[in-house]
Amino acid sequence: MKTALIVDDSRVVRKVARKILEGNGFACDEAEDGQQALTACQKKLPDLILLDWNMPVMTGIEFLPKLRELPEGGTPCVIFCTTENDMSHIQQAIGAGANEYIMKPFDNDIIQGKLVQLGLLDEQA
Amino acid sequence: MKTEDFELLSGILKQRSGLVLTPEKAYLLESRLLPVARKYSLKGLDELAAQIRSRRDEAMLRDMTEAMTTNESSFFRDQKPFDQFKNIIMPHVAEARAAKKQVRVWSAACSSGQEAYSLTMLWHELAAKYPGWKLEIMGTDLSAEMVERSRSGIYTQFEVQRGLPIQLLMKYFTQQGDKWQINTQCRALCQFKEMNLLQDFGPVGVFDIIYCRNVLIYFDPPTKTRVLEAMSKVLAPDGALYLGGAETVLGLTDKFRPVDANRGLYVLSSAPAALYSGAAAVKAA
Ligand SMILES: C[S@@+](CC[C@H](N)C(=O)[O-])C[C@H]1O[C@@H](n2cnc3c(N)ncnc32)[C@H](O)[C@@H]1O
């Protein structure tokens, strides 16, 4: 089973994201900020990280280069998932090594589409 | 809703757009035509029907027809037709049209233009492979509003996140407030115009590829047959026709045949057996 780490300081967002990802066959873990996410990734790298931008302690954009420096840290697919919805944030995120970018609000269709593009999900028949 | 009102209204829709509504779908009429009735200061569908019986107002009939269409679309919808454009269609066309270096595409029932613009982005990505080649896309839809939206190339945040990889958003779109607009290089390849598939297509020329997806499903079999046969006349002898996932030519016309290796892809029955029958290479980036 593919694994996902949902990193967001909002419990509601984590819950919605978990429901969608579980519906698409992912086993999910959650983290409330970049620091927690980093600790989780040091133990075990997931296949997918859904990453919020603005979080206390450590933001998503601070977390990303630290993730990529871990041994094998290049392997997880990282999808930013944030209310930041302007081109400069998108460029910054992709430049920092994110694989995809979702502007909140999101729904199942959007997430599913990105998973297919990233090869994490087979195309629906 | 009174039976005679349902019959009047659904009859008009069938005649104008091909849309077939069974009595169980009467609720769809209610929910979508009520706003039209209100626009003309009519209280309900009974008043709307009465108004139509007394005087046919072309603008009102038009509004009704447009209100009933489903305009759902997305970028790179179903992905395969686009992978195949790159991996099967273009390699053939590149040889067959080597002298002319031109590809003509029709995005029929194009809704808000995502299908046409997906092709333009793909085209620009392939540019290095086909130097000097020209792509010309005609996008048509019944709905004036959809044609206008297609021309503008402006999409909501929600729309640009459906099917569109972020790299392509970054490369081909500019942000305008909370909307996103596709760039002029992509828009320059497309011509959008109103066209009813039930009527004579007019002097549209000949196409190498016709995308006619997710519109035939709304029509009854004789209407599907009529549209398909008309399309067979404007498709190049070695052209490709794409239908939606729930659509087929089987049982409707013998002008086209499916390409077994590639679902959704059809060629003229008179075309060589091997045309486009190579399986698409695995999805490439
Ligand atoms: C569900 S959309 C399909 C859009 C696009 N082809 C796709 O597959 O994503 C159907 C479109 O068909 C258009 N349409 C319906 N009846 C039509 C007709 N008789 N002639 C031309 N367009 C029609 C509608 O306006 C609507 O935009």
Side-chain angles (χ1 to χ4, degrees):
Chain A
M1 198 184 219
K2 294 218 157 67
T3 55
L5 178 63
I6 300 162
V7 192
D8 201 300
D9 57 338
S10 154
R11 195 154 50 89
V12 178
V13 172
R14 290 200 306 271
K15 203 170 139 187
V16 174
R18 175 187 275 269
K19 205 160 165 228
I20 291 176
L21 287 171
E22 285 180 349
N24 286 293
F26 281 79
C28 297
D29 274 322
E30 297 178 19
E32 290 174 28
D33 58 54
Q35 185 57 57
Q36 279 188 16
L38 196 60
T39 310
C41 287
Q42 279 158 347
K43 285 193 198 116
K44 193 180 173 303
L45 288 168
D47 299 300
L48 169 72
I49 300 177
L50 200 66
L51 185 62
D52 188 17
W53 193 296
N54 294 305
M55 293 174 290
V57 189
M58 189 192 288
T59 65
I61 200 72
E62 290 164 352
F63 159 81
L64 186 51
K66 295 196 168 71
L67 165 77
R68 294 306 191 205
E69 277 164 21
L70 294 179
E72 305 291 316
T75 48
C77 274
V78 174
I79 306 181
F80 255 101
C81 184
T82 164
T83 51
E84 304 296 345
N85 62 356
D86 56 279
M87 193 66 102
S88 61
H89 277 89
I90 296 175
Q91 283 164 343
Q92 196 186 341
I94 301 300
N99 302 82
E100 258 296 344
Y101 197 101
I102 291 174
M103 299 173 263
K104 288 175 182 168
F106 57 88
D107 65 5
N108 182 60
D109 273 4
I110 290 177
I111 294 208
Q112 233 175 33
K114 302 283 183 194
L115 293 175
V116 171
Q117 283 159 17
L118 292 170
L120 287 168
L121 192 67
D122 285 336
E123 240 164 294
Q124 254 61 12
Chain B
M1 193 190 309
K2 282 194 287 218
T3 314
E4 63 261 36
D5 287 353
F6 174 79
E7 278 169 6
L8 174 74
L9 297 174
S10 63
I12 289 173
L13 294 167
K14 162 93 197 300
Q15 187 206 348
R16 293 184 68 103
S17 73
L19 178 69
V20 179
L21 282 177
T22 51
E24 307 85 75
K25 291 273 172 71
Y27 70 91
L28 258 182
L29 279 185
E30 304 260 7
S31 64
R32 296 208 189 161
L33 292 189
L34 213 50
V36 178
R38 296 226 172 87
K39 179 174 165 192
Y40 291 88
S41 309
L42 303 166
K43 287 213 186 65
L45 295 205
D46 45 343
E47 284 193 13
L48 186 71
Q51 174 83 18
I52 290 168
R53 282 196 189 90
S54 73
R55 192 177 65 87
R56 292 211 163 207
D57 175 344
E58 180 57 31
M60 186 164 87
L61 297 183
R62 226 196 136 86
D63 284 348
M64 278 174 50
T65 312
E66 293 204 7
M68 288 306 300
T69 57
T70 301
N71 304 118
E72 173 91 6
S73 192
S74 58
F75 289 101
F76 297 99
R77 186 170 188 172
D78 301 336
Q79 192 59 48
K80 285 223 172 65
F82 301 95
D83 294 341
Q84 291 172 5
F85 175 83
K86 173 178 168 181
N87 297 323
I88 304 181
I89 313 271
M90 270 318 286
H92 168 82
V93 168
E95 276 183 30
R97 310 276 186 281
K100 249 170 90 191
K101 294 199 169 188
Q102 195 197 45
V103 194
R104 286 195 81 225
V105 175
W106 180 11
S107 174
C110 64
S111 187
S112 29
Q114 286 94 327
E115 180 175 82
Y117 288 132
S118 300
L119 279 172
T120 64
M121 289 183 267
L122 190 52
W123 182 257
H124 283 126
E125 295 294 303
L126 293 173
K129 240 179 136 180
Y130 302 105
W133 279 73
K134 262 184 65 187
L135 172 68
E136 196 183 297
I137 302 178
M138 176 175 90
T140 63
D141 201 277
L142 174 77
S143 156
E145 185 192 336
M146 287 303 125
V147 169
E148 204 32 65
R149 288 205 51 202
S150 297
R151 274 190 198 128
S152 77
I154 297 175
Y155 297 93
T156 64
Q157 176 171 305
F158 184 75
E159 287 168 328
V160 295
Q161 301 203 84
R162 293 195 60 197
L164 186 66
I166 198 71
Q167 276 82 4
L168 297 185
L169 180 75
M170 292 165 68
K171 200 160 159 191
Y172 296 102
F173 286 77
T174 53
Q175 194 167 21
Q176 307 203 334
D178 57 356
K179 297 269 174 62
W180 298 81
Q181 183 174 38
I182 192 147
N183 70 19
T184 46
Q185 287 87 331
C186 288
R187 274 182 284 147
L189 301 178
C190 303
Q191 281 247 9
F192 293 100
K193 62 179 183 192
E194 277 176 60
M195 189 200 282
N196 189 339
L197 293 175
L198 305 192
Q199 290 164 6
D200 185 39
F201 301 156
V204 291
V206 173
F207 297 98
D208 301 303
I209 315 171
I210 300 176
Y211 291 84
C212 180
R213 301 192 300 148
N214 307 300
V215 64
L216 293 183
I217 27 167
Y218 301 107
F219 303 163
D220 66 4
T223 310
K224 292 181 200 193
T225 299
R226 196 144 61 83
V227 174
L228 286 168
E229 301 208 332
M231 286 187 166
S232 73
K233 301 201 174 86
V234 296
L235 188 66
D238 60 347
L241 168 73
Y242 278 98
L243 300 181
E247 296 158 336
T248 179
V249 303
L250 298 174
L252 296 169
T253 173
D254 54 13
K255 294 273 192 287
F256 291 99
R257 60 175 160 80
V259 177
D260 290 334
N262 297 301
R263 224 173 128 244
L265 172 58
Y266 300 83
V267 293
L268 290 170
S269 299
S270 51
L275 183 66
Y276 300 134
S277 61
V282 207
K283 184 176 153 189

